[in-house]
Amino acid sequence: MMTYRKVNQLFTFASFSTAPALGSVVSFLWHGGAIWCVFEVATGRRRFSPDRMMRFVYGIMLVYVATNLMAFLANDPSWEMARKLLPLVTFLMFPFSYSIWTISNREEIARAAILGSAVAAASGFALALIQYYIVAMRPEGGAGNALVFADVACLAGLVCLAGALTLETGRARLLLFAYALAFLAVLFSGSRSVWGVMLGASILVVLLCRGRVMNILRGRMLAILAVAVTVAVLASGVVATRMELLGEEFRELAVSGNYNTSSGLRVALYEIGSRLVMERPFLGHGLQNTVHLIGDHLNADYGVNRSFSHFHNGFLTAFVEGGVLCGLAVLALFAAIAVAAWRTLQNAVDPIQRFGGLLLAILFCIYAGGGSVNLIFGHDILDSMFMVVLITGLYLATGSSQLPAEEKEEPDTDQARP
């Protein structure tokens, strides 16, 4: 009979391995599991986790959900637009999923996350290679969106790097190779903002694990140099093309006021968003009105006939849609993640805890850093992976296992209730 310990290990592997190549499969997987977790806790079959950090983070999430709901009700709500509220359900499920996820062995969860990320990095790279060279398109992986694909591929690669420098030093060569594949997938995606995020986060992880880095580099310098040269050669074309395009876009914006480019549209969206926040700072404009507000203002103010579902800045989007309290809740959420990561990495000596702290640091870099020029919440794949990594990171860094003592000693005796 399958046990919770085994199910959670397999669930962790599946959750970390699917997003780059299979896209929304991770959303169906996590939400399906979360619905079961809600049932388990609500019926008293399993208990709500007592972990204080989880409860604190959930309190911030409730503020985010409540302010969005208030803004929806205050801005001409309709049943037709109520579907826009569905992504908020993801945040409500967080503590239930966390509570059941902790019925597991922490080391098994950590290693499942690392192995799943290696699979994600390899499969994401393979699909990016096919899409770039054979289909002749900008790689989108299984996400159908180049930026989302870049985010989840970046996440997979950084988890591999963190694993190589903490728990899996014996498999460091394999994991560093998987990291290189993920780096290439991100480069092929053409997502310039994620390039910077991945480079900066990689440097941060290396600095936080500098004691391990020298041990891994010893005797492997030639192999690492060969991989670095290979990555540079393969990616040189797309990097040069995208950076040249970036320069042209800013020249067009400065000289002719052309906002109808990738960079110009971001500038216009930031200006529109800032004005909208000032118009309704407390109740916001409601997440149901974002699309038509952006479309109307782009057309009226900039002569651009385009529309978007967000402002290409997750923090600005939160302030516009839900008001000041909503935006502050998002800032507080990432502040809590950063503090938990920092305290763990400063104080913990246990490699599993340190790996959990690195997961939180990686999550912060990708979602807070990359989300400053892109989307943070509101996309099913990004929301699901945020929950997967947040739950795993908090559990490993600050949480406690709900496995009974005898089950920790006897791995095969943990029997899940049907």
Side-chain angles (χ1 to χ4, degrees), residues 47-213:
R47 70 188 182 98
F48 204 69
S49 172
D51 291 346
R52 292 178 61 186
M53 191 61 193
M54 181 277 290
R55 295 186 178 214
F56 178 72
V57 167
Y58 187 48
I60 299 173
M61 289 183 180
L62 288 178
V63 174
Y64 173 73
V65 172
T67 51
N68 270 298
L69 183 58
M70 289 172 58
F72 175 81
L73 296 174
N75 289 278
D76 300 321
S78 67
W79 284 111
E80 181 183 356
M81 298 304 293
R83 58 184 172 81
K84 296 283 188 177
L85 297 172
L86 285 176
L88 300 178
V89 176
T90 300
F91 295 90
L92 298 178
M93 291 179 170
F94 162 72
F96 302 96
S97 181
Y98 180 97
S99 297
I100 303 302
W101 214 311
T102 59
I103 309 174
S104 57
N105 177 276
R106 295 169 69 252
E107 183 176 356
E108 290 173 353
I109 294 298
R111 296 189 187 279
I114 295 169
L115 180 59
S117 295
V119 172
S123 59
F125 168 73
L127 192 51
L129 211 61
I130 293 170
Q131 291 176 334
Y132 187 80
Y133 285 109
I134 298 178
V135 185
M137 62 177 284
R138 183 180 176 184
E140 300 175 345
N145 182 300
L147 280 167
V148 174
F149 169 67
D151 280 335
V152 294
C154 176
L155 183 60
L158 290 170
V159 174
C160 290
L161 179 62
L165 299 179
T166 50
L167 290 174
E168 296 284 4
T169 52
R171 300 177 184 174
R173 186 177 301 178
L174 178 63
L175 289 173
L176 290 175
F177 181 66
Y179 165 78
L181 294 182
F183 201 98
L184 275 171
V186 171
L187 290 174
F188 279 127
S189 75
S191 304
R192 293 169 299 210
S193 60
V194 188
W195 295 350
V197 169
M198 190 166 193
L199 183 60
S202 300
I203 294 172
L204 177 64
V205 170
V206 169
L207 290 176
L208 290 170
C209 301
R210 54 190 176 276
R212 295 269 192 171
V213 170

Side-chain angles (χ1 to χ4, degrees), residues 189-371:
S189 75
S191 304
R192 293 169 299 210
S193 60
V194 188
W195 295 350
V197 169
M198 190 166 193
L199 183 60
S202 300
I203 294 172
L204 177 64
V205 170
V206 169
L207 290 176
L208 290 170
C209 301
R210 54 190 176 276
R212 295 269 192 171
V213 170
M214 297 309 299
N215 291 332
I216 293 174
L217 289 179
R218 192 174 294 115
R220 297 187 177 97
M221 285 299 297
L222 287 178
I224 292 173
L225 182 61
V227 171
V229 171
T230 302
V231 168
V233 170
L234 288 174
S236 58
V238 65
V239 171
T241 300
R242 292 293 290 171
M243 294 310 294
E244 182 180 353
L245 180 60
L246 179 65
E248 291 177 0
E249 290 173 352
F250 276 110
R251 278 194 298 272
E252 288 184 26
L253 180 62
V255 175
S256 59
N258 181 13
Y259 286 89
N260 198 15
T261 64
S262 177
S263 301
L265 284 168
R266 277 178 167 80
V267 173
L269 289 171
Y270 299 159
E271 292 176 353
I272 293 169
S274 299
R275 291 197 298 268
L276 290 173
V277 172
M278 297 305 295
E279 287 178 10
R280 289 179 66 85
F282 298 110
L283 288 176
H285 293 267
L287 44 73
Q288 73 272 26
N289 295 316
T290 301
V291 173
H292 81 75
L293 282 172
I294 291 176
D296 291 347
H297 280 279
L298 279 177
N299 189 29
D301 302 339
Y302 301 92
V304 177
N305 189 23
R306 297 280 296 275
S307 187
F308 298 90
S309 62
H310 57 95
F311 291 87
H312 275 279
N313 182 311
F315 298 104
L316 181 60
T317 301
F319 276 97
V320 172
E321 293 180 342
V324 172
L325 285 178
C326 180
L328 291 177
V330 175
L331 291 173
L333 176 60
F334 283 102
I337 292 170
V339 169
W342 178 256
R343 286 180 176 174
T344 301
L345 293 168
Q346 282 288 98
N347 302 320
V349 294
D350 175 31
I352 296 175
Q353 277 188 283
R354 292 190 62 79
F355 176 70
L358 288 174
L359 284 184
L360 295 176
I362 290 167
L363 184 69
F364 177 87
C365 290
I366 294 175
Y367 279 80

